[in-house]
Amino acid sequence: MTDASGPALYFDAACALCTRSAWFIDRRDWVRRLRMLSLQGPEGEALRAAHPWLATVDSLIWVDAAGARVLVHSDAVLEVGRYLGGGWRLAARVARLVPRRLRDRVYRFIARHRRLLP
């Protein structure tokens, strides 16, 4: 069971890659504080209403436990790695050395083609 006061990861539940990624993350969440929420659900709609700039983000959104920090694109992925800890945290630290512009370009390419992936 997840902790309602923990961070939240919003994902596109209509996308097989996003759903499998959420399942992958959930299986590695030993702390069980991360809330996995659908962008298509009422929580996703409420998030977008509270943050209109998220209207065009349709793949992955990280919201910290306090709700003060909202991360998208590669920053959201790296925050997941930091949250999971261990080798994932180390990989996220190394990936942060890559400029955000390049990381986000790769992220957007995958996001644009994610529905074509098996």
Side-chain angles (χ1 to χ4, degrees):
M1 181 158 206
T2 59
D3 183 350
S5 66
L9 183 66
Y10 293 82
F11 67 97
D12 180 1
C15 164
L17 178 64
C18 299
T19 302
R20 280 186 294 205
S21 297
W23 179 83
F24 178 88
I25 293 163
D26 187 55
R27 301 270 300 174
R28 285 150 183 83
D29 179 11
W30 306 113
V31 181
R32 308 305 296 168
R33 288 189 45 233
L34 183 61
R35 295 174 292 141
M36 305 293 269
L37 303 164
S38 167
L39 282 169
Q40 291 82 4
E43 296 92 350
E45 291 175 13
L47 176 70
R48 288 183 176 171
H51 302 282
W53 62 274
L54 292 173
T56 60
V57 179
D58 65 351
S59 54
L60 193 67
I61 301 171
W62 174 276
V63 180
D64 72 1
R69 217 169 50 137
V70 178
L71 302 173
V72 296
H73 306 305
S74 65
D75 286 338
V77 173
L78 296 182
E79 191 63 21
V80 169
R82 190 195 66 72
Y83 169 82
L84 291 177
W88 299 107
R89 180 177 295 204
L90 178 61
R93 281 187 176 170
V94 171
R96 281 206 191 277
L97 298 174
V98 176
R100 179 184 292 147
R101 180 177 273 196
L102 179 58
R103 284 186 284 132
D104 281 350
R105 183 177 287 170
V106 171
Y107 179 90
R108 286 186 188 111
F109 177 83
I110 293 169
R112 216 176 16 256
H113 296 91
R114 71 184 187 270
R115 296 185 195 268
L116 302 175
L117 298 172

